[in-house]
Amino acid sequence: MPSRQRPCSRRRMLALALGTSGLIGGTTVTGATRSVSSSEIGGGETNGSIQNDDVDSDGYAAVYEETIDDVVLVAIRGSNDDPGGLGSGFVLENGFVVTNHHVAGDADGVEVQFRDEQWRTGTVVGSDRHSDLAVVEIDDLPEIVSGLSLWEAEPVIGSEVLALGNPLGLDASISQGIVSGIDRSLPSPTGFSIPAAIQTDAPVNPGNSGGPLVTLEGEVLGVVFAGLGQTIGFAISALLADRVVPALIGDGAYDHPYLGVGVLPVGPQVATANDLEEPRGVLITDVEPGGPADGVLESATERETIDGDSVRAGGDVIVAIDGHDIPNEEILSSTLALETSPGETIEIDVVRDGERGTLEVTLSSRPDVDTP
């Protein structure tokens, strides 16, 4: 998918002025220790992938000083049934605070602390379980705040990033790493995955959730989701946040596009069973009755024995959507999430019975789900 260009902002000018700096290991600047309540498992320290004997941390320090005043600690009031907890967030240029749904989405009261130790009370104006994003409104922002902007281009694997937030309750912390992978699918209690996620080796721990993963130009590349240990952390992409957050601010909710199919990756055996030239695309295994794809796309209802294994066969294999190649399930989810909308009619290229053709499907809004 093509990248989108954006004008040169103040922070992009900062990065251009700094030039290229060497890599250092995960550097942490910490303040007072606070207690933490979180379910994530944090990753460990790691070095960047490029080594430089003349390590210069001035570049990281400059980005930190330019952005940290817009990073906040989000404290959730406890109750008899819910102990509350701490997380992170950041202020956008429009003055709203972005964090995770799992940090603040269902909270009646949100307390936000800024770097200068000032506290403010915030109200959740919108929250979305499917993307794990929430938006908090604060009436009286401190003067130190200027606001961060969301990066509008695709993340580049290998590019340097900084994770800012409050790991383990240690406020105003920074850790460094790279973009390790893109188009990851993250687990969600809704039953739908969170698409287009960013993988990073920047150390993130309980308390980092909701904080920004920023570029060396000081713009938000992603919203930290969780760390899974072994130098693997994840962030919700700014590209997805750029679609969801404005809707949360304006309407309190976001409608995700819904195709209504279940799919299976196409490996060599599935490719053989379905007369495909190469193992690429996704095989439709289920079509939701009454859903957008019902009566248009066909699911695999047959079985073929390939190398002694029973393999699904006979349905449609999705290989492209609106001209975007679909090599796997992750790209299918990312393409639907970032390139389509409910009510839009899309062209889907499928292989059926060994023949390639194009079908049209009008997407609907993702159905409501019951979640804890």
Side-chain angles (χ1 to χ4, degrees):
M1 290 175 281
S3 298
R4 290 177 284 173
Q5 301 299 317
R6 61 175 294 120
C8 195
S9 68
R10 178 166 60 96
R11 289 192 169 87
R12 290 169 72 86
M13 290 297 292
L14 166 69
L16 291 174
L18 289 173
T20 303
S21 61
L23 299 187
I24 58 175
T27 304
T28 304
V29 181
T30 61
T33 302
R34 300 183 179 90
S35 61
V36 176
S37 175
S38 177
S39 61
E40 302 111 87
I41 302 174
E45 294 289 334
T46 181
N47 290 325
S49 63
I50 302 173
Q51 300 299 320
N52 189 332
D53 292 335
D54 299 321
V55 174
D56 179 7
S57 62
D58 289 347
Y60 303 136
V63 176
Y64 176 84
E65 289 301 324
E66 181 71 12
T67 57
I68 196 61
D69 286 341
D70 297 307
V71 180
V72 300
L73 181 145
V74 178
I76 307 304
R77 300 169 188 163
S79 65
N80 292 334
D81 298 325
D82 185 354
L86 298 176
S88 301
F90 59 93
V91 183
L92 289 174
E93 290 175 322
N94 60 14
F96 287 90
V97 174
V98 174
T99 186
N100 287 140
H101 168 82
H102 79 259
V103 171
D106 292 324
D108 293 328
V110 179
E111 301 293 340
V112 176
Q113 186 184 39
F114 295 83
R115 185 192 184 192
D116 62 359
E117 304 297 329
Q118 293 192 60
W119 286 89
R120 295 289 189 273
T121 299
T123 302
V124 178
V125 297
S127 188
D128 179 53
R129 286 182 172 88
H130 291 291
S131 62
D132 196 33
L133 292 172
V135 176
V136 176
E137 184 176 20
I138 297 173
D139 292 333
D140 181 25
L141 292 170
E143 293 183 359
I144 64 169
V145 171
S146 59
L148 302 178
S149 59
L150 298 174
W151 186 249
E152 294 183 359
E154 291 183 357
V156 177
I157 295 176
S159 60
E160 287 188 90
V161 288
L162 303 174
L164 304 173
N166 308 285
L168 306 179
L170 302 171
D171 63 334
S173 293
I174 178 175
S175 59
Q176 173 269 340
I178 62 171
V179 174
S180 305
I182 59 175
D183 290 317
R184 303 305 195 208
S185 293
L186 302 180
S188 167
T190 66
F192 296 92
S193 62
I194 301 173
I198 297 168
Q199 178 186 334
T200 180
D201 67 350
V204 294
N205 292 277
N208 270 119
S209 290
L213 187 72
V214 302
T215 69
L216 294 192
E217 294 170 335
E219 298 195 53
V220 179
L221 190 67
V223 183
V224 173
F225 173 78
L228 299 182
Q230 301 298 315
T231 68
I232 295 178
F234 296 100
I236 300 152
S237 76
L239 293 176
L240 181 59
D242 194 36
R243 293 171 68 97
V244 175
V245 168
L248 296 184
I249 294 172
D251 304 322
Y254 178 76
D255 290 331
H256 294 261
Y258 180 63
L259 180 58
V261 297
V263 298
L264 181 73
V266 174
Q269 291 182 324
V270 172
T272 300
N274 289 274
D275 298 323
L276 301 176
E277 294 181 357
E278 59 179 339
R280 191 174 180 85
V282 292
L283 176 68
I284 297 177
T285 58
D286 300 284
V287 176
E288 180 69 21
D294 191 16
V296 181
L297 300 178
E298 295 185 359
S299 61
T301 58
E302 303 172 7
R303 291 277 180 176
E304 295 283 347
T305 300
I306 306 296
D307 298 330
D309 295 324
S310 178
V311 179
R312 299 286 289 265
D316 291 334
V317 176
I318 297 177
V319 294
I321 291 180
D322 284 343
H324 299 287
D325 289 338
I326 305 297
N328 53 50
E329 185 177 357
E330 287 74 22
I331 299 300
L332 171 64
S333 297
S334 295
T335 300
L336 290 172
L338 301 180
E339 304 294 337
T340 71
S341 300
E344 179 181 351
T345 299
I346 61 175
E347 292 186 346
I348 302 179
D349 288 3
V350 302
V351 176
R352 179 184 295 178
D353 298 327
E355 298 292 331
R356 180 164 176 156
T358 301
L359 303 171
E360 290 189 346
V361 174
T362 300
L363 302 173
S364 66
S365 296
R366 186 176 292 177
D368 293 332
V369 293
D370 294 328
T371 58

Coordinates of all heavy atoms in Angstrom, one line a residue, residues 4 6 92 98 133 149-153 220 223 236-248 254 338:
R4 N 1.6 7.8 2.5 CA 1.0 9.1 2.4 C 2.0 10.1 2.8 O 2.7 10.0 3.8 CB -0.3 9.2 3.2 CG -1.4 8.4 2.6 CD -2.6 8.5 3.5 NE -2.4 7.7 4.7 CZ -3.3 7.7 5.7 NH1 -4.3 8.5 5.7 NH2 -3.1 7.0 6.7
R6 N 3.3 13.9 4.1 CA 2.8 15.0 5.0 C 3.7 16.1 5.0 O 4.9 16.0 4.7 CB 2.7 14.4 6.4 CG 4.0 13.9 7.0 CD 3.8 13.5 8.5 NE 3.5 14.7 9.3 CZ 2.4 14.7 10.0 NH1 1.5 13.7 10.0 NH2 2.1 15.8 10.7
L92 N -2.7 15.0 22.1 CA -2.6 15.3 20.7 C -2.6 16.9 20.6 O -2.9 17.6 21.5 CB -3.8 14.8 20.0 CG -3.8 13.3 19.8 CD1 -5.2 12.9 19.2 CD2 -2.7 12.8 18.9
V98 N -4.9 10.6 24.3 CA -5.1 9.3 23.8 C -4.5 8.3 24.7 O -3.3 8.5 25.2 CB -4.5 9.1 22.4 CG1 -4.6 7.7 21.9 CG2 -5.2 10.1 21.4
L133 N -8.4 1.6 21.8 CA -8.1 3.0 21.9 C -9.2 3.7 22.7 O -10.3 3.3 22.6 CB -7.9 3.6 20.6 CG -6.7 3.1 19.7 CD1 -6.8 3.7 18.3 CD2 -5.4 3.6 20.4
S149 N 1.7 14.8 17.3 CA 0.9 14.5 16.0 C 1.1 13.1 15.7 O 2.2 12.5 16.0 CB 1.3 15.5 14.9 OG 2.7 15.3 14.6
L150 N 0.1 12.5 15.0 CA 0.2 11.1 14.5 C 0.9 11.0 13.2 O 0.6 11.8 12.3 CB -1.2 10.5 14.4 CG -2.0 10.4 15.7 CD1 -3.4 10.0 15.3 CD2 -1.4 9.5 16.7
W151 N 1.9 10.1 13.1 CA 2.7 9.9 11.9 C 1.7 9.4 10.8 O 1.0 8.4 11.0 CB 3.8 8.9 12.2 CG 4.8 8.7 11.1 CD1 4.9 7.5 10.4 CD2 5.8 9.6 10.6 NE1 5.9 7.6 9.5 CE2 6.5 8.9 9.6 CE3 6.1 10.9 10.9 CZ2 7.5 9.5 8.9 CZ3 7.2 11.4 10.2 CH2 7.9 10.8 9.2
E152 N 1.8 9.9 9.6 CA 0.8 9.6 8.6 C 1.4 8.7 7.4 O 0.7 8.5 6.4 CB 0.2 10.9 8.0 CG -0.6 11.6 9.0 CD -1.3 12.9 8.3 OE1 -1.0 13.1 7.1 OE2 -2.0 13.6 9.1
A153 N 2.6 8.2 7.6 CA 3.2 7.3 6.6 C 3.3 5.9 7.2 O 3.2 5.7 8.4 CB 4.6 7.8 6.2
V220 N 4.2 10.5 16.7 CA 3.7 9.3 17.2 C 3.5 8.2 16.1 O 2.7 8.4 15.2 CB 2.3 9.5 17.9 CG1 1.8 8.1 18.5 CG2 2.5 10.5 19.1
V223 N 0.6 3.6 19.4 CA 0.2 3.7 20.8 C 0.5 2.3 21.4 O 0.0 1.3 21.0 CB -1.3 3.9 20.8 CG1 -1.8 4.0 22.3 CG2 -1.7 5.1 20.0
I236 N -0.3 -0.2 18.7 CA -1.3 0.1 17.7 C -0.9 1.2 16.8 O -0.4 2.2 17.2 CB -2.6 0.5 18.4 CG1 -3.1 -0.6 19.4 CG2 -3.7 0.8 17.4 CD1 -3.8 -0.1 20.6
S237 N -1.0 0.9 15.5 CA -0.3 1.8 14.5 C -1.1 3.2 14.5 O -2.3 3.3 14.7 CB -0.4 1.2 13.1 OG -1.7 1.3 12.6
A238 N -0.3 4.2 14.3 CA -0.8 5.6 14.1 C -1.8 5.7 13.0 O -2.7 6.5 13.0 CB 0.3 6.6 14.0
L239 N -1.6 4.8 11.9 CA -2.5 4.8 10.8 C -3.9 4.4 11.2 O -4.9 5.0 10.7 CB -1.9 3.9 9.7 CG -0.6 4.4 9.0 CD1 -0.2 3.3 8.0 CD2 -0.8 5.7 8.3
L240 N -4.0 3.4 12.1 CA -5.3 3.0 12.6 C -5.8 4.0 13.5 O -7.0 4.4 13.5 CB -5.2 1.6 13.2 CG -6.5 1.0 13.8 CD1 -7.5 0.9 12.7 CD2 -6.2 -0.3 14.5
A241 N -5.0 4.5 14.4 CA -5.4 5.5 15.4 C -5.9 6.8 14.7 O -6.9 7.4 15.1 CB -4.3 5.9 16.3
D242 N -5.3 7.1 13.5 CA -5.7 8.3 12.8 C -7.1 8.2 12.2 O -7.8 9.2 12.0 CB -4.7 8.6 11.7 CG -4.9 10.0 11.1 OD1 -5.2 10.9 11.8 OD2 -4.7 10.1 9.9
R243 N -7.6 6.9 12.1 CA -9.0 6.7 11.6 C -9.9 6.6 12.8 O -11.1 7.1 12.8 CB -9.1 5.4 10.8 CG -8.3 5.5 9.5 CD -8.3 4.1 8.8 NE -9.6 3.6 8.4 CZ -10.0 3.7 7.2 NH1 -9.3 4.3 6.2 NH2 -11.2 3.2 6.8
V244 N -9.5 6.0 13.9 CA -10.4 5.8 15.0 C -10.6 7.0 15.9 O -11.7 7.3 16.3 CB -9.8 4.6 15.9 CG1 -10.7 4.4 17.1 CG2 -9.8 3.3 15.0
V245 N -9.5 7.7 16.3 CA -9.5 8.7 17.3 C -10.4 9.9 16.9 O -11.2 10.3 17.7 CB -8.1 9.3 17.6 CG1 -8.1 10.5 18.4 CG2 -7.3 8.2 18.3
P246 N -10.4 10.4 15.7 CA -11.4 11.5 15.3 C -12.8 11.1 15.5 O -13.6 11.9 16.0 CB -11.0 11.8 13.9 CG -9.6 11.4 13.7 CD -9.5 10.2 14.5
A247 N -13.1 9.8 15.2 CA -14.5 9.3 15.4 C -14.9 9.2 16.9 O -16.0 9.5 17.3 CB -14.7 8.0 14.7
L248 N -13.9 8.8 17.7 CA -14.1 8.8 19.1 C -14.4 10.2 19.7 O -15.2 10.3 20.6 CB -13.0 8.1 19.9 CG -12.7 6.6 19.5 CD1 -11.5 6.1 20.4 CD2 -13.9 5.8 19.7
Y254 N -16.5 4.2 17.0 CA -15.9 4.0 15.7 C -16.5 2.8 15.0 O -16.5 1.7 15.7 CB -14.4 3.9 15.7 CG -13.8 3.7 14.3 CD1 -13.7 4.8 13.4 CD2 -13.3 2.5 14.0 CE1 -13.1 4.6 12.2 CE2 -12.7 2.3 12.7 CZ -12.6 3.3 11.8 OH -12.1 3.1 10.6
L338 N -7.5 -0.3 7.2 CA -6.9 1.0 6.8 C -7.3 1.5 5.5 O -7.2 2.7 5.2 CB -5.3 0.9 6.8 CG -4.7 0.4 8.1 CD1 -3.1 0.3 7.9 CD2 -5.0 1.3 9.2

